Amino acid sequence: MNKTALLIIDMVKDFTDPEGLVFYPQNREVLPRIKKVLEECRKKDILVIFFRHSYRKNKFDKNLINMRPNCIEGSGGDEIDQMLTVDEEKDYVIKKRRYSGFFGTDLDLVLRENNIENVIITGTKTNCCIRATVTDAYYLDYNVYVVSDCVATNDDVVNDVHLSDIKKYFGKVVSSEELSELLEKGEL
C-alpha cells in the first residue's frame, strides 16, 4: 500500500477564477502544473485529498474580521476549480475554516487510517495555508514534500521566503520535475 498522500490546498474558485473574490494570477499559473501532478499521483495510486476553504453563510467567523468575505458556502467561490477533477469514489474533500488543513478537520485521522507517512503539498497560499499545513504536518511527524512550482501566493518574494524556511526547517521543497523523478523511482 502506498504511504504517500497528495494534498491540494484551496484551489477554489474565489482564489483561482478571475471573477473570484480574492483572485490573483499566480493561482491560475500553477493550476496546470497541479493538474499534471494530480494525474501522476493517480497513476501511482497515491491518496488524493482536496481542501475547500469554506466559511458558513451568514455565520460569524473570526477569520473574516480581518479580510473581505470570500469562500462563502453556497456562493460557488468555495468550489474546487473545474480544471481539477475530484474522483468521488477515491478522493477525499475536506472543508476547512482556518489556514492549516489539520486544524479543526479530520485530516490527521484520514492520513493515519490510510497509513500515510509522506505528504505532497500543492495549492495556495504559500505564506498562510501552505505554511500552516506544512508546520502541522511536521509537528505530527509526517514527511513533507512541497512542490515549489505548484504553490503560489500574490507576492513572489513572500513565496520564496516561505519556501526557503520550509526547506530549512520543515521538509523538502522539490520542483514538479523532481517530484516526478521521486515517483518514478518509487521513493514516494
Side-chain angles (χ1 to χ4, degrees), residues 93-111:
V93 177
I94 297 175
K95 286 186 176 184
K96 67 183 192 62
R97 294 181 16 215
R98 293 295 183 263
Y99 299 134
S100 173
F102 288 93
F103 188 84
T105 73
D106 67 345
L107 174 59
D108 188 46
L109 181 60
V110 167
L111 294 174

Side-chain angles (χ1 to χ4, degrees), residues 120-136:
I120 300 166
I121 298 181
T122 65
T124 195
K125 191 170 180 196
T126 309
N127 55 316
C128 295
C129 299
I130 301 297
R131 177 72 180 249
T133 303
V134 164
T135 301
D136 286 348

Side-chain angles (χ1 to χ4, degrees), residues 61-122:
D61 195 296
K62 187 176 179 180
N63 258 18
L64 295 177
I65 291 173
N66 295 320
M67 66 177 84
R68 63 185 179 260
N70 65 87
C71 301
I72 305 299
E73 200 172 49
S75 69
D78 69 333
E79 292 176 13
I80 295 165
D81 192 283
Q82 61 272 12
M83 189 181 288
L84 303 173
T85 306
V86 176
D87 181 335
E88 300 290 336
E89 300 281 320
K90 295 181 179 180
D91 299 343
Y92 287 83
V93 177
I94 297 175
K95 286 186 176 184
K96 67 183 192 62
R97 294 181 16 215
R98 293 295 183 263
Y99 299 134
S100 173
F102 288 93
F103 188 84
T105 73
D106 67 345
L107 174 59
D108 188 46
L109 181 60
V110 167
L111 294 174
R112 293 189 192 286
E113 287 174 333
N114 286 281
N115 299 309
I116 300 299
E117 296 174 4
N118 311 303
V119 290
I120 300 166
I121 298 181
T122 65

Side-chain angles (χ1 to χ4, degrees), residues 131 134 138 160-173:
R131 177 72 180 249
V134 164
Y138 172 82
D160 292 344
V161 166
H162 284 275
L163 287 174
S164 178
D165 270 1
I166 289 168
K167 183 177 182 178
K168 187 172 182 179
Y169 299 109
F170 299 108
K172 295 183 181 347
V173 175

Side-chain angles (χ1 to χ4, degrees), residues 6-8 31-50 80-87 91 120 122 147 150 176 179 183:
L6 170 65
L7 310 185
I8 300 175
L31 262 170
R33 293 189 291 267
I34 293 173
K35 180 180 179 178
K36 184 178 178 201
V37 166
L38 172 62
E39 290 166 356
E40 286 182 63
C41 286
R42 284 205 170 117
K43 287 177 188 170
K44 298 293 183 183
D45 203 31
I46 288 173
L47 181 70
V48 176
I49 303 172
F50 288 89
I80 295 165
D81 192 283
Q82 61 272 12
M83 189 181 288
L84 303 173
T85 306
V86 176
D87 181 335
D91 299 343
I120 300 166
T122 65
V147 187
C150 292
S176 55
L179 178 67
L183 292 172

